[in-house]
């Protein structure tokens, strides 16, 4: 098992690290890396990225030693890759505790090559590290159910607190724990222990608001909460249905559902636990207007566990059809029964082949994804932004210090700040506090700012323009009005290998 697990970990590392630096940061990566750099006192980013923004700081604090000086993006992604591989390794003991070592090993293999987990754990995002802590939380809960020891119940609360301290939206997993205990009467529900465990969870998560209060930035957290609760939907209701199943793997989902069906008579608290861990986040994020590609990543672990269990117990016929049933008394196999005995010996091979088919169905799209560096479309959370790093570095090298930049939206503005070290503003940032991220500074009158020569460059990008044609047209109107001149363009190859402009930098003047 050790050799197989080592090989799976190596495969997971290769898939996640391959061409890791092919694309620069996307907007969220730039923000978290910028926070880590500011936390480390990096003078390049201290004035551009405030330490306290929206989310807790556990992951950014972990990254900060790598961002003390200069521009560091690969180092941050390497840290996430290591945490992603650690999650793959953590799935093995969890699966072994639930269903046995073979299930644990197969589940680790499926997660190692799952496109959903591979893509997210190649980016400086909070979700990859959060899933590691969520997996450890699930493991502690399993140990509590199996041993009924208070120490494991408290460990579950502590790990859930660390999960929430990595990304606060993971509080929904507490609903998964509650749903499991409520739906499983055979599992002891210690009321007194819960009264002790809840303060443990609260004390760990309290580090986030306490640090904001000590820094005098409590209003940041409150403003962000209000914005999240009242912001407009950013995707249609079918967003997850369109994007997540293909990233998780259709055959993985088929195996998980099939296993639940053909092993339905052997259902136990284990399936209730895994289904609760899946259902609560899915229902919550489906109903919540704000949707992100990576938000459902915590469900990947229980899904691969259910799929691995199904593949290990895959029903394979061991007897060939006959005209009549043979007597039940023990006797040597007759020549007519020899083929049936041969079929029985093939059962492990059939199940192994099924595992290989499912794993290859994941590895192929995952490998294509990590090898596909340039594209003309972009989905937030699905990877880096083509041309963003290059455009930012061009601004840093070819524009005067103190230049201000206007972009279509805040996403490209974050990338410009990180790679270009230039103050930038998103045209689409609303002046209404209820309709914007509190971390973003709006321009009350972009036209007046250009007339006063407070904005010197305009960056148009196809990714933001595709999401907001109105603000794209508004930006280009300002370019024409203020004598915009193209000074730099970033291209990617289109479907027919024709260069397609994805980022255009204009110099403007009053």
């Amino acid at each position: 098992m050790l050799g197989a697990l080592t090989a799976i970990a190596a495969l997971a590392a290769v898939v996640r690290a391959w061409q890791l630096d092919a694309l620069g940061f996307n907007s969220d990566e730039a923000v978290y890396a910028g926070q880590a750099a500011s936390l480390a006192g990096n003078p390049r980013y201290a004035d551009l990225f405030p330490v306290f923004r929206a989310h807790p700081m556990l992951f950014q604090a972990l990254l900060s030693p790598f961002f003390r000086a200069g521009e560091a993006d690969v180092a941050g992604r390497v840290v996430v890759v290591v945490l992603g591989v650690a999650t793959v390794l953590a799935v093995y003991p969890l699966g072994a505790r639930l269903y046995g070592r073979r299930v644990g090993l197969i589940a680790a293999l499926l997660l190692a090559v799952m496109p959903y987990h591979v893509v997210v754990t190649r980016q400086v995002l909070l979700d990859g590290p959060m899933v590691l802590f969520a997996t450890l939380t699930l493991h502690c809960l399993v140990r509590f159910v199996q041993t009924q020891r208070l120490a494991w119940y408290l460990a579950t609360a502590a790990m859930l607190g660390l999960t929430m301290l990595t990304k606060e939206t993971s509080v929904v997993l507490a609903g998964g724990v509650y749903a499991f205990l409520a739906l499983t009467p055979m599992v002891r529900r210690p009321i007194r222990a819960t009264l002790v465990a809840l303060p443990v969870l609260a004390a760990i998560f309290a580090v986030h608001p306490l640090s904001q209060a000590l820094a005098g930035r409590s209003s940041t957290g409150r403003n962000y909460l209000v914005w999240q609760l009242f912001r407009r939907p950013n995707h249609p209701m079918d967003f997850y249905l369109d994007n997540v199943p293909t990233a998780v793997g259709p055959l993985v989902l088929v195996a998980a559902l099939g296993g639940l069906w053909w092993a339905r008579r052997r259902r136990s608290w284990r399936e209730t636990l895994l289904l609760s861990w899946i259902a609560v986040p899915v229902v919550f994020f489906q109903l919540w207007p704000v949707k992100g590609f990576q938000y459902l990543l915590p469900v990947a672990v229980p899904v691969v566990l259910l799929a691995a269990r199904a593949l290990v117990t895959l029903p394979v016929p061991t007897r060939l059809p006959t005209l009549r049933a043979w007597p039940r008394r023990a006797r040597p196999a007759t020549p007519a029964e020899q083929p049936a005995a041969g079929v029985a010996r093939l059962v492990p091979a059939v199940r192994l082949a099924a595992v290989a088919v499912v794993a290859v169905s994941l590895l192929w799209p995952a490998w294509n994804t990590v090898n596909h560096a340039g594209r003309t479309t972009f989905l937030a959370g699905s990877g880096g932004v083509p041309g963003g790093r290059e455009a930012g570095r061009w601004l840093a090298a070819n524009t005067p210090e103190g230049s201000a930049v206007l972009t279509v939206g805040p996403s490209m503005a974050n990338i410009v700040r990180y790679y270009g070290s230039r103050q930038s503003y998103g045209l689409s940032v609303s002046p209404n506090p209820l309709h914007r991220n509190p971390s973003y500074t709006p321009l009350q009158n972009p036209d007046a700012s250009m007339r006063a020569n407070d904005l010197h460059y305009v960056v148009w990008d196809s990714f933001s323009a595709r999401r907001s044609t109105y603000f794209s047209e508004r930006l280009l109107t300002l370019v024409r009005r203020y004598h915009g001149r193209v000074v730099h363009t970033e291209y990617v190859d289109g479907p027919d290998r024709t260069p397609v402009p994805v980022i255009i930098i204009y110099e403007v003047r009053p």
Side-chain angles (χ1 to χ4, degrees), residues 22-377:
L23 294 176
F25 283 164
N26 58 44
S27 175
D28 287 342
E29 288 184 284
V31 168
Y32 302 140
Q35 279 184 283
S38 295
L39 193 62
N42 189 328
R44 176 171 178 168
Y45 300 103
D47 295 333
L48 297 170
F49 290 94
V51 171
F52 293 100
R53 289 175 68 111
H55 300 289
M57 296 293 295
L58 178 61
F59 178 55
Q60 294 88 322
L62 179 64
L63 287 183
S64 60
F66 302 96
F67 288 81
R68 290 176 179 173
E71 175 194 297
D73 48 5
V74 179
R77 284 178 172 171
V78 169
V79 171
V80 179
V81 166
V82 171
L83 296 177
V85 175
T87 306
V88 172
L89 293 175
V91 167
Y92 169 72
L94 175 59
R97 279 276 168 187
L98 286 170
Y99 298 112
R101 293 182 178 180
R102 284 187 297 172
V103 170
L105 199 64
I106 295 171
L109 172 63
L110 298 181
L111 190 67
V113 294
M114 177 185 286
Y116 197 19
H117 194 259
V118 168
V119 167
V120 177
T121 53
R122 287 167 53 87
Q123 306 172 66
V124 183
L125 299 176
L126 305 181
D127 303 86
M130 180 263 289
V131 171
L132 172 60
F133 289 115
T135 303
L136 297 176
T137 302
L138 193 57
H139 186 268
C140 291
L141 183 57
V142 169
R143 293 297 300 268
F144 163 71
V145 174
Q146 293 177 334
T147 65
Q148 295 295 301
R149 292 177 57 187
L150 176 62
W152 285 112
Y153 197 61
L154 298 180
T156 301
M159 291 308 306
L160 183 57
L162 289 175
T163 307
M164 293 163 53
L165 204 56
T166 308
K167 189 171 184 179
E168 77 286 353
T169 54
S170 59
V171 67
V172 300
L173 297 177
V177 176
Y178 175 80
F180 164 66
L181 294 176
L183 295 173
T184 318
M186 72 281 297
V187 175
R188 185 169 67 93
R189 287 161 282 188
I191 304 300
R192 293 180 181 178
T194 301
L195 296 178
V196 178
L198 287 178
V200 171
L201 186 154
I204 293 176
F205 183 70
V207 172
H208 173 49
L210 183 61
S211 62
Q212 287 186 330
L214 293 175
R217 297 297 299 272
S218 296
S219 59
T220 300
R222 291 195 299 268
N223 293 341
Y224 181 76
L225 178 62
V226 171
W227 173 67
Q228 286 284 51
L229 291 176
F230 295 101
R231 64 182 291 191
R232 299 168 182 172
N234 59 343
H235 288 292
M237 290 294 290
D238 60 350
F239 173 78
Y240 289 123
L241 187 61
D242 286 343
N243 294 281
V244 172
T246 54
V248 170
L251 291 186
V252 172
L253 295 175
V254 169
L257 294 173
L260 290 172
W261 171 253
W262 62 66
R264 61 191 181 278
R265 295 181 179 177
R266 300 193 299 273
R267 183 177 174 181
S268 66
W269 62 266
R270 297 167 177 83
E271 292 72 51
T272 304
L273 173 60
L274 297 178
L275 290 174
S276 298
W277 208 256
I278 294 171
V280 171
V282 168
V283 172
F284 176 84
F285 287 113
Q286 180 62 35
L287 296 178
W288 199 30
V290 183
K291 305 184 190 307
F293 174 74
Q294 71 273 27
Y295 287 3
L296 291 182
L297 191 63
V299 309
V301 170
V303 166
V304 296
L305 288 169
L306 290 173
R309 166 182 174 262
L311 294 171
V312 167
T313 61
L314 181 69
V316 180
T318 58
R319 296 185 61 184
L320 295 178
T322 57
L323 295 178
R324 61 184 179 85
W326 292 103
R328 293 181 179 273
R329 60 185 177 84
R331 53 179 175 72
T334 64
E337 294 176 291
Q338 292 300 323
V343 172
R345 288 194 294 270
L346 287 176
V347 170
V350 171
R351 289 174 175 165
L352 183 61
V355 172
V357 169
V358 175
V360 170
S361 74
L362 296 174
L363 179 59
W364 183 252
W367 189 251
N368 284 339
T369 300
V370 301
N371 275 285
H372 189 55
R375 57 191 185 277
T376 58
T377 59

